[in-house]
Amino acid sequence: MTRMLIIGPPGSGKGTQAARITESLGIVAISTGDIFRHNVKNGTPLGVEAKKYIDNGDFVPDSVTNSMVEDRLGQEDVAHGFLLDGYPRTRGQVDALDAMLSTLGTELDVVLQLTADDAELVKRLLGRAEIEGRADDTEDVIKHRLGLYAKETQPLVDIYQKRGLLVQVDGLGEISEVTARILAALDAVKK
Ligand code: ADP
């Protein structure tokens, strides 16, 4: 059983890799971005609230995000392991997650950081915008999201490194190549 996080800038391929890793490991993928987008699509109160932030490339407030994740981690399927994708993104979310896991009597096994340089990220996100038409994939909003990542989320990597949980993987290359790299790195940690 594995309980893990995947951390990386917008466009690093977190979501794509999360789907592949969780399938391979037989654990549940929990993407806060996907849960928000699902709620936006269905016009739920959570979606209406979250949309104001998402479209501008801002973080949804911690209070909203934390309680959503707490609900999700309380569900039964998570007991066999999970991969959180896109959470935590702030120091406050790290603290909230620590508290949630301690209440559940469990802890993280590994934190996977997916790296990629900014030029490649912007290129990928603009490419995705043409295909998926996400409102937050315009050039200005992309730059804002990358800036927020650098300021708020990148520093979280140090916290997990100090805890001895960090595994870094280069996110550049073919999708399946990156998946193979990740699975090999996770395998090496287990031993
Ligand atoms: P990306 O990694 O490309 O930014 P995501 O799907 O992970 O894409 O997130 C999309 C948007 O959803 C974010 O820009 C933010 O507005 C919101 N979001 C997702 N996760 C969080 C989080 N943990 N805290 C606050 N906002 C979040």
Side-chain angles (χ1 to χ4, degrees):
M1 183 200 318
T2 313
R3 299 177 200 86
M4 57 186 288
L5 313 180
I6 184 164
I7 298 187
S12 59
K14 290 186 310 282
T16 304
Q17 296 300 335
R20 299 170 74 104
I21 302 164
T22 51
E23 187 179 291
S24 170
L25 300 181
I27 58 176
V28 174
I30 303 175
S31 157
T32 44
D34 281 352
I35 302 175
F36 283 135
R37 276 187 292 278
H38 181 79
N39 278 275
V40 169
K41 202 169 132 210
N42 291 306
T44 67
L46 174 66
V48 171
E49 172 70 8
K51 185 173 167 38
K52 296 186 268 182
Y53 301 94
I54 294 174
D55 286 355
N56 293 324
D58 288 321
F59 292 159
V60 177
D62 278 2
S63 56
V64 175
T65 308
N66 289 334
S67 46
M68 180 179 89
V69 172
E70 187 167 18
D71 276 0
R72 186 64 189 89
L73 286 179
Q75 289 166 27
E76 261 178 31
D77 57 347
V78 169
H80 306 291
F82 60 83
L83 189 167
L84 278 166
D85 158 19
Y87 181 92
R89 266 170 149 94
T90 64
R91 180 66 219 225
Q93 292 180 12
V94 169
D95 296 340
L97 178 62
D98 285 344
M100 287 174 218
L101 294 177
S102 131
T103 303
L104 291 169
T106 183
E107 47 188 33
L108 293 173
D109 302 308
V110 60
V111 172
L112 180 72
Q113 182 192 14
L114 207 54
T115 60
D117 61 68
D118 269 19
E120 171 72 15
L121 296 171
V122 174
K123 195 176 98 193
R124 286 187 189 176
L125 289 165
L126 288 174
R128 182 172 82 184
E130 281 181 18
I131 298 162
E132 293 180 14
R134 261 173 59 169
D136 59 348
D137 276 345
T138 62
E139 191 156 5
D140 284 350
V141 178
I142 287 170
K143 291 213 167 109
H144 181 61
R145 281 157 59 212
L146 287 171
L148 257 187
Y149 177 83
K151 182 162 176 274
E152 303 284 346
T153 309
Q154 173 69 34
L156 308 183
V157 168
D158 281 356
I159 298 176
Y160 291 115
Q161 182 155 42
K162 286 193 185 111
R163 293 186 193 177
L165 293 175
L166 192 70
V167 171
Q168 285 175 310
V169 173
D170 181 359
L172 289 184
E174 293 286 322
I175 290 175
S176 54
E177 228 175 85
V178 176
T179 309
R181 242 179 248 155
I182 292 173
L183 292 174
L186 292 177
D187 230 34
V189 171
K190 268 188 230 149
K191 283 161 199 158

